[in-house]
Amino acid sequence: MDKTQIIESLIPGALLSYEKYNILPSLTIAQAILETGWLQYVKGNNIFGIKWKEGCGYEVQEFNTHEFINGVSTPMVCEFRKYDTLEASILDHGKLLSFNRYKSVITSKNYKEACQNVYNSGYCTDDEYPEKLIAIIEQNKLYVYDCAPRSENTTDEDIKYLQKCLNSMKIRDVNNNVLVVDGASGPLTIGTIKKLQQILNLSIDGICGPEVLSGVKAIMEKPLCSINSTEDKTAIRYIQWRTGSAIDGIYGNETIRFVKQYQRSNKLVIDGIVGNGTWQSLLS
């Protein structure tokens, strides 16, 4: 395979790892390339050299390697995990980086931060590791896989507005934190948009498009919602999510019950109607 084909073979797994573990695809692909010399040195689809241990859920394979013992490179036979596919190896790598030790990698705002943070977290001891990764990313334009494409006419201000609204709506990122309002459609914002799209029953692509912006605007306008509501399905779906009711966009008896529970817990008027007071609490 040439370099383009190698990158294409890594993209599906990298995007899945991005969706599941929030690891930037550019970092995943660059590490795979660097660790294997463009997939020249791969055994049992183990791209990242992850060791095998009892109960890990993977088959074991042995091969010769070198380990540093008291500062001396020592040849030895080690046990490594064996994967059915490259994608399985990539997802296991994402799972590894999801551990608390690598939290700074997951919260990185861009590929340069991610490359530095993966080194700072102790992934390897090569002082030049971040620079090597960044060079691979930039030479091959891998950063294009890190951000969702924008809909036509979507601006930085649209994304800032959306980020502010998501924070007000208590829809948090993958780390349960509020979003930085920076107008950038980075991994944390994309993941949070996907949560919103799931709540509102929209296509889940993480893109700040007209449907997403229209849905958020409908909620932020705080329509009066009660048993008689029939036209505010978007706002009702959000209310149902916030109060723990089943999400179907229908303001029925179950929704009233959960709204009353929310009102009781937040010392509001307990009437089962989402008016100004309840909306202020929901979006405060």
Side-chain angles (χ1 to χ4, degrees):
M1 290 191 295
D2 60 24
K3 289 186 176 180
T4 299
Q5 291 172 323
I6 289 170
I7 291 171
E8 288 177 351
S9 73
L10 296 169
I11 288 171
L15 291 177
L16 279 176
S17 182
Y18 182 27
E19 181 174 347
K20 190 168 184 178
Y21 299 110
N22 216 54
I23 311 300
L24 286 174
S26 63
L27 174 66
T28 300
I29 297 170
Q31 282 193 285
I33 290 169
L34 182 57
E35 300 284 342
T36 65
W38 287 92
L39 299 188
Q40 290 184 75
Y41 311 106
V42 181
K43 293 183 179 181
N45 290 314
N46 192 329
I47 304 173
F48 303 97
I50 298 178
K51 297 282 184 67
W52 181 88
K53 63 180 180 180
E54 191 73 38
C56 69
Y58 296 97
E59 292 183 32
V60 62
Q61 59 181 338
E62 295 183 346
F63 46 85
N64 297 324
T65 185
H66 286 75
E67 297 284 346
F68 281 91
I69 301 176
N70 297 323
V72 178
S73 180
T74 306
M76 59 178 59
V77 177
C78 292
E79 295 179 329
F80 291 85
R81 299 180 186 185
K82 183 178 181 181
Y83 303 97
D84 292 335
T85 63
L86 293 180
E87 185 176 288
S89 178
I90 292 172
L91 288 175
D92 200 31
H93 166 265
K95 183 178 180 180
L96 173 68
L97 293 189
S98 70
F99 293 164
N100 193 56
R101 170 182 176 181
Y102 297 104
K103 184 176 181 180
S104 62
V105 179
I106 293 176
T107 57
S108 297
K109 296 184 180 67
N110 54 60
Y111 68 88
K112 290 183 179 179
E113 280 191 18
C115 291
Q116 186 62 52
N117 286 333
V118 77
Y119 167 75
N120 291 346
S121 299
Y123 188 91
C124 75
T125 57
D126 181 357
D127 291 342
E128 297 180 358
Y129 195 70
E131 288 73 21
K132 291 176 181 178
L133 292 175
I134 291 169
I136 291 171
I137 290 170
E138 293 183 343
Q139 288 166 9
N140 298 280
K141 299 182 179 178
L142 301 179
Y143 45 75
V144 301
Y145 303 109
D146 290 346
C147 290
R150 294 186 181 185
S151 292
E152 188 176 355
N153 300 323
T154 299
T155 66
D156 288 353
E157 290 305 311
D158 289 330
I159 295 175
K160 283 183 180 179
Y161 168 76
L162 178 57
Q163 289 167 329
K164 288 178 182 177
C165 292
L166 290 169
N167 289 341
S168 295
M169 294 163 66
K170 309 296 188 301
I171 303 177
R172 304 302 189 218
D173 68 21
V174 68
N175 302 302
N176 201 34
N177 295 323
V178 297
L179 293 171
V180 176
V181 181
D182 57 6
S185 188
L188 297 178
T189 295
I190 292 169
T192 311
I193 292 173
K194 287 182 178 181
K195 288 185 184 179
L196 172 69
Q197 290 172 323
Q198 185 175 21
I199 294 166
L200 301 187
N201 197 31
L202 302 175
S203 297
I204 301 174
D205 56 15
I207 297 174
C208 176
E211 279 190 318
V212 168
L213 291 170
S214 175
V216 167
K217 184 178 179 182
I219 293 166
M220 298 307 291
E221 287 179 348
K222 306 173 184 176
L224 182 68
C225 293
S226 68
I227 192 70
N228 297 315
S229 301
T230 58
E231 298 179 356
D232 300 309
K233 293 184 182 297
T234 296
I236 292 170
R237 291 184 71 90
Y238 170 70
I239 291 166
Q240 290 171 327
W241 175 75
R242 284 285 276 120
T243 59
S245 176
I247 303 175
D248 59 9
I250 299 171
Y251 206 107
N253 290 327
E254 180 186 348
T255 300
I256 291 175
R257 180 165 58 84
F258 277 90
V259 167
K260 286 183 176 180
Q261 288 178 2
Y262 178 86
Q263 291 171 328
R264 185 177 296 107
S265 298
N266 290 274
K267 299 180 179 179
L268 301 167
V269 175
I270 305 171
D271 56 10
I273 298 172
V274 180
N276 287 335
T278 301
W279 274 116
Q280 286 301 117
S281 177
L282 290 170
L283 301 176
S284 61

